[in-house]
Amino acid sequence: MSQSKGITITESKIPIFAIALLAVIFVLGVFVVGFDQGHIFSIVLGEQAYEDLYIHELTHDMRHAAGFPCH
Amino acid sequence: MKTIIFLTIVLVSGALAGTLHGVANLAIVEPYLDQAIGIENQNLFASGEEEDTPQFWVEYDAYRDWQKGGQVLAGAILGTSIGALFGIVYAFSRHVLPQGNDLKKTITLAGIMWLTLFFIPFLKYPANPPTVGDAETVVLRAVLYLSFIAISGLGAVAFYQLSKKIKSKSKIISVVGYGIFIAIVFALMPPNPDEVNAPLDLVNGFRAMSVVAVSVFWVSVAVILGGLWHKFRPDSQIHSQNDM
Ligand SMILES: [Zn+2]
């Protein structure tokens, strides 16, 4: 009945929301650094983004250094 | 669990460790990248696609400076994302990692993840400097590399679960099981289809420094997350017990 708390509630549950958010960050970040070939900027820039390869060029050296397949 | 604190320390530790990874690359990996791209430039001059003019080098240097800066930014992004995965796995595995403080736990987990998600996949599909990869095979290479990492990571989790199911006290069963499993996968997966035509010194030096720099990331993320977890205790259950 009583909702009063005299002791610290033990909340060892792992928050699903936080895990889901981290999972999204994980996938997006790996995609941007490792695999984007204009996909993300094409949302705003259209076909031009596949020519510019801005993100590819920007993250290029890390792509090689971290072991992702490149040129 | 204190969600905001948990998210903050996970993302901060990943971003910081990733930035350190980027800085380490600047110091030890970029010289090899410059050398490899230098070979590409010579090929461009030889084929007549570009001319060896002062103008070319001005543009090239400006472009490379921008790219090296981008590399550190990319380190922060990649670090945040790998750090996010590390945080997820740590949250779920913290209670089964070796007894001791959080630093000991994070370092143990980082060691396992470094081995299964980076080093063993690296032995199968090692990093290559520019000029080695064939643009035609990049999708195939990406699929092979990601598949191997996923199989290795999920395999490690599966063998851990298995050893728990059969109530084995020792972790030897999961280690040996995973070892045999990954050796078979290693042998069965097709090799990188590209031929390495670049000078061997360049390729080997690049690979060695690449491993060192990635290892800098894993050590950093473990130390920073372990330290922050110890200080901020996002797991409030531990908080109430230890602070009494
Ligand atoms: Zn490349």
Side-chain angles (χ1 to χ4, degrees):
Chain A
M1 277 302 282
S2 167
Q3 296 289 311
S4 69
K5 297 154 189 134
I7 47 156
T8 311
I9 285 193
T10 56
E11 279 182 275
S12 59
K13 276 231 178 75
I14 297 161
I16 288 305
F17 156 75
I19 297 299
L21 184 67
L22 290 177
V24 169
I25 290 169
F26 166 63
V27 172
L28 270 182
V30 168
F31 182 78
V32 164
V33 175
F35 302 99
D36 183 86
Q37 299 290 15
H39 303 89
I40 289 185
F41 277 11
S42 76
I43 297 166
V44 223
L45 301 174
E47 285 300 308
Q48 185 59 36
Y50 295 102
E51 299 288 316
D52 296 346
L53 295 177
Y54 186 84
I55 291 180
H56 171 106
E57 294 297 329
L58 190 70
T59 64
H60 177 264
D61 288 16
M62 178 54 91
R63 213 168 267 206
H64 280 276
F68 292 104
C70 192
H71 82 294
Chain B
M1 190 176 281
K2 298 166 191 161
T3 307
I4 298 299
I5 295 178
F6 169 66
L7 283 174
T8 307
I9 64 172
V10 165
L11 295 175
V12 164
S13 57
L16 284 177
T19 306
L20 288 174
H21 182 193
V23 172
N25 280 338
L26 273 189
I28 60 174
V29 181
E30 288 288 356
Y32 292 96
L33 288 169
D34 283 331
Q35 204 187 328
I37 298 171
I39 295 174
E40 289 183 321
N41 287 340
Q42 294 309 318
N43 292 342
L44 289 175
F45 300 149
S47 70
E49 272 177 77
E50 291 285 350
E51 270 179 69
D52 189 355
T53 58
Q55 176 64 19
F56 172 86
W57 290 107
V58 169
E59 284 177 17
Y60 170 81
D61 287 339
Y63 167 72
R64 288 291 294 144
D65 285 345
W66 172 79
Q67 207 164 40
K68 286 175 188 178
Q71 190 268 125
V72 178
L73 175 65
I77 298 170
L78 183 65
T80 306
S81 82
I82 304 291
L85 178 69
F86 186 61
I88 294 173
V89 179
Y90 189 63
F92 283 108
S93 64
R94 191 176 173 278
H95 64 289
V96 294
L97 285 162
Q99 291 298 308
N101 59 29
D102 279 289
L103 196 58
K104 188 176 165 196
K105 289 171 188 280
T106 50
I107 288 176
T108 307
L109 180 64
I112 295 169
M113 290 176 74
W114 173 86
L115 187 70
T116 55
L117 301 182
F118 171 67
F119 195 64
I120 295 175
F122 173 90
L123 293 176
K124 177 71 183 175
Y125 301 112
N128 277 318
T131 81
V132 170
D134 180 351
E136 300 281 304
T137 62
V138 70
V139 174
L140 171 66
R141 286 182 284 126
V143 170
L144 290 176
Y145 187 58
L146 281 186
S147 309
F148 193 89
I149 292 173
I151 291 168
S152 177
L154 295 175
V157 173
F159 277 98
Y160 168 71
Q161 297 289 352
L162 192 73
S163 78
K164 218 170 58 172
K165 262 221 179 84
I166 55 178
K167 303 227 162 47
S168 154
K169 281 269 184 287
S170 81
K171 295 197 173 76
I172 292 293
I173 293 189
S174 52
V175 174
V176 171
Y178 168 79
I180 295 170
F181 167 77
I182 204 65
I184 294 169
V185 175
F186 198 103
L188 291 182
M189 290 273 290
N192 183 333
D194 297 349
E195 242 176 274
V196 177
N197 292 320
L200 221 57
D201 280 357
L202 166 60
V203 173
N204 289 337
F206 168 80
R207 286 177 179 169
M209 290 306 122
S210 158
V211 170
V212 171
V214 173
S215 306
V216 164
F217 168 77
W218 282 105
V219 171
S220 309
V221 79
V223 170
I224 300 170
L225 184 64
L228 291 176
W229 196 291
H230 180 75
K231 188 162 172 22
F232 292 104
R233 300 282 160 87
D235 192 322
S236 52
Q237 187 177 25
I238 300 303
H239 186 82
S240 63
Q241 285 170 353
N242 288 13
D243 279 2
M244 290 291 158

